[in-house]
Amino acid sequence: MNLQKFTIKAQETVNGAQTLAIANKNQQIEPVHILKTMFTEDPETKQYLFGKLGVNGKRVEDAAEASIKSLSKVDGGQIYISQALSVAAVNAEKIMKDMGDEFITNEHLLTGILDGRDTAANILKDAGVKKVELIKAISDLRKVA
């Protein structure tokens, strides 16, 4: 995952996810860490998108937190990016290119996570997030910003 391709805000989210993983003694940084961190690093974007989609953000945040607490804990060792997060980053980069953007944003990351097959993707899908609607909400957000 090349952070030079990420916006400053998305880099802050990735760094926050790493800090969250370390604080919870998780050896791997998972998409669920990114999802949870978006609530603290980029609450305005998350609130707008989830509001537009009619998704209960608190429910998503609580599910992400519960998922993180259930992950295996390791003392010491090197922290690394999970396979699922690598896939989400590749998905986000593809979405970035499809949208004609130069850098990966938190919106791209969220969509990349949704395209996955891991716990974070399931949390979003269970909350009612659909890719087509999310991309429309991102487009609407850009018109407002």
Side-chain angles (χ1 to χ4, degrees):
M1 189 161 53
N2 182 359
L3 289 180
Q4 292 179 341
K5 293 182 180 182
F6 287 58
T7 63
I8 299 291
K9 186 62 90 176
Q11 288 177 23
E12 290 170 354
T13 298
V14 172
N15 289 334
Q18 179 179 352
T19 301
L20 182 61
I22 291 167
N24 284 279
K25 297 184 178 186
N26 305 132
Q27 191 167 18
Q28 296 184 83
I29 306 168
E30 297 282 354
V32 73
H33 291 107
I34 297 284
L35 185 58
K36 171 69 174 142
T37 303
M38 285 183 186
F39 286 89
T40 53
E41 293 295 331
D42 199 2
E44 299 86 11
T45 300
K46 180 265 328 157
Q47 185 176 2
Y48 180 88
L49 293 175
F50 285 173
K52 196 84 167 151
L53 298 171
V55 170
N56 183 336
K58 179 73 171 132
R59 180 176 158 214
V60 171
E61 183 177 17
D62 290 347
E65 191 169 327
S67 176
I68 290 168
K69 288 181 180 181
S70 74
L71 293 172
S72 61
K73 305 208 182 310
V74 177
D75 282 322
Q78 184 77 17
I79 190 165
Y80 58 94
I81 294 169
S82 72
Q83 179 66 28
L85 184 53
S86 292
V87 168
V90 168
N91 292 343
E93 186 171 1
K94 181 184 180 316
I95 292 158
M96 172 202 72
K97 289 176 182 174
D98 290 348
M99 295 178 97
D101 295 328
E102 294 182 46
F103 295 97
I104 296 171
T105 65
N106 279 336
E107 299 87 59
H108 299 130
L109 279 173
L110 188 63
T111 309
I113 290 169
L114 181 64
D115 273 350
R117 297 174 188 242
D118 63 300
T119 303
N122 290 337
I123 289 170
L124 290 170
K125 291 171 187 170
D126 289 347
V129 179
K130 293 177 179 53
K131 184 176 179 179
V132 172
E133 294 172 3
L134 178 58
I135 290 172
K136 169 95 173 67
I138 292 168
S139 176
D140 291 347
L141 172 66
R142 291 177 173 192
K143 291 175 187 170
V144 178

